[in-house]
Amino acid sequence: MKFKARASGAASMLVLQQAALTFSKASRARTAGVRITSDTIYFLVMPSDRRTCDYLWAEVAQTHLFDEFVLDSKHPNKEILFTLHLDHLIKALSSAVESNSVTLKLTKRDHATCLTITIGCMAASGITRPIVQDIPIDIYPSDEIAQHAPPSLADPAVNIYLPESKKLKTILDRMKSMSHKVTVTANHEGCLVLRVQTDLVAVKTSFKDLDNPVLGGDYDMPSTPSEFIEGTVDLRKMVDFVNGALQIRGAQLMLSIIPNSCMVLTLGHDDVTVTYPIPLQTE
C-alpha cells in the first residue's frame, strides 16, 4: 500500500483544512474515515460516531490540489481507507496553510502506521525547514472499503437553494431554543418555509424568490409548481450543518426533500462538496 501527495502552495491545504473543519462541526464526530481514490478524498462518518450523526460525507476533488499524487493498494481501483482523529488532522493542516510546500504520505513509525505531513516553512534566513507531524491511523482492509461507501439516495421531490448561511443560522438558533424539530416546506417556485411548533407557541419564517436547481435524474416536475413538499427533521442536526458551512466563505447550500425518507442538505464550493441526509420524522 502506498500513498504520497505533494502540494506546492498553501491554497491546497486551506481547501483540505476547511473541508475537514466543516465535516467536524457538521457531524460532531471525533474521528473520520478518510477514503482516498484516484480523483477524490472523502471524509466519512464511521459507525462508531453515528450516535451523533447518521450519515454525512465530504468530498474533495484532489486533481486541482496536488502537483504529485501516487496511490496504490490491493483494492481493484487502488483505493485506501483509514480512520484518524479529526483534531489531529485539523491542527496539522492549519499549520500547513502558511507553508510553501506540503507532502502527505503513509509511513511506519515504531510499528504503527501514520499519515505523515511534512511542512516546508521558510525561515528568516531564507532556508526552507521541514516540520514533520505524524498522525496515527488505522487502515481498513481493501475488501471492507465498499461497506463504508456513502448510501445511495433516491431522487428528491424538490431542490431549493438556501438563504445565506449567517442569516439562516440566526433564524435556526432562535427556533432551536423553542423546539428540537423543525418542519420544512418548499416548492418549485422558490418558496421555503421553516416552522416550529410547541404547545405554547408556533413560529414560522418564509423565504421567497430562491432558486430551484434541476440536477438531472428522474426529476419529475409537479403539474402544480406551487405545491409544497414537506418534511420534519431534527433541528439540532440542521443547525450543526449550517455551523459547519460557516467554515467555508461563499459556500452555497441546497436543501432537497425525498418524501418518506430524508431531507438532504448539500454544501458546494469549488472542489468541496458536503452531503448530509437527515431522516424525516413523523409528526
Side-chain angles (χ1 to χ4, degrees), residues 105-123:
K105 64 179 180 179
L106 297 184
T107 60
K108 284 284 189 180
R109 304 292 195 206
D110 297 326
H111 307 291
T113 305
C114 295
L115 175 66
T116 296
I117 301 180
T118 304
I119 304 166
C121 295
M122 185 71 71

Side-chain angles (χ1 to χ4, degrees), residues 119-141:
I119 304 166
C121 295
M122 185 71 71
S125 62
I127 299 174
T128 299
R129 300 186 182 279
I131 298 175
V132 179
Q133 301 191 52
D134 294 322
I135 302 173
I137 63 174
D138 292 318
I139 294 183
Y140 280 65

Side-chain angles (χ1 to χ4, degrees), residues 153-162 184 186 192 213 215 219 229 233 253-259 262-266 276-278 280:
L153 300 174
D155 292 313
V158 64
N159 297 316
I160 191 165
Y161 284 127
L162 291 172
V184 181
L192 173 73
L215 304 179
Y219 191 91
I229 309 298
V233 296
L253 304 186
M254 184 180 73
L255 180 149
S256 307
I257 299 176
I258 303 174
C262 61
M263 182 182 77
V264 184
L265 297 174
T266 306
Y276 192 5
I278 304 176
L280 296 182

Side-chain angles (χ1 to χ4, degrees), residues 31-80:
T31 61
V34 180
R35 178 185 174 194
I36 303 177
T37 72
S38 60
D39 56 10
T40 307
I41 297 175
Y42 295 87
F43 295 101
L44 309 170
V45 175
M46 302 304 281
S48 60
D49 278 307
R50 287 184 188 154
R51 292 168 295 177
T52 57
C53 174
D54 299 294
Y55 282 98
L56 184 149
W57 64 94
E59 305 172 41
V60 184
Q62 68 83 9
T63 50
H64 299 146
L65 296 184
F66 301 109
D67 304 311
E68 177 187 348
F69 188 86
V70 178
L71 179 66
D72 192 19
S73 74
K74 294 181 180 179
H75 188 275
N77 298 323
K78 309 301 183 184
E79 300 179 7
I80 61 175

Side-chain angles (χ1 to χ4, degrees), residues 7 22 35 181 186 214 230 268:
T22 298
R35 178 185 174 194
K181 61 183 181 180
V214 178
E230 180 177 296

Side-chain angles (χ1 to χ4, degrees), residues 271-282:
D271 292 326
V272 178
T273 303
V274 183
T275 306
Y276 192 5
I278 304 176
L280 296 182
Q281 300 181 357
T282 57

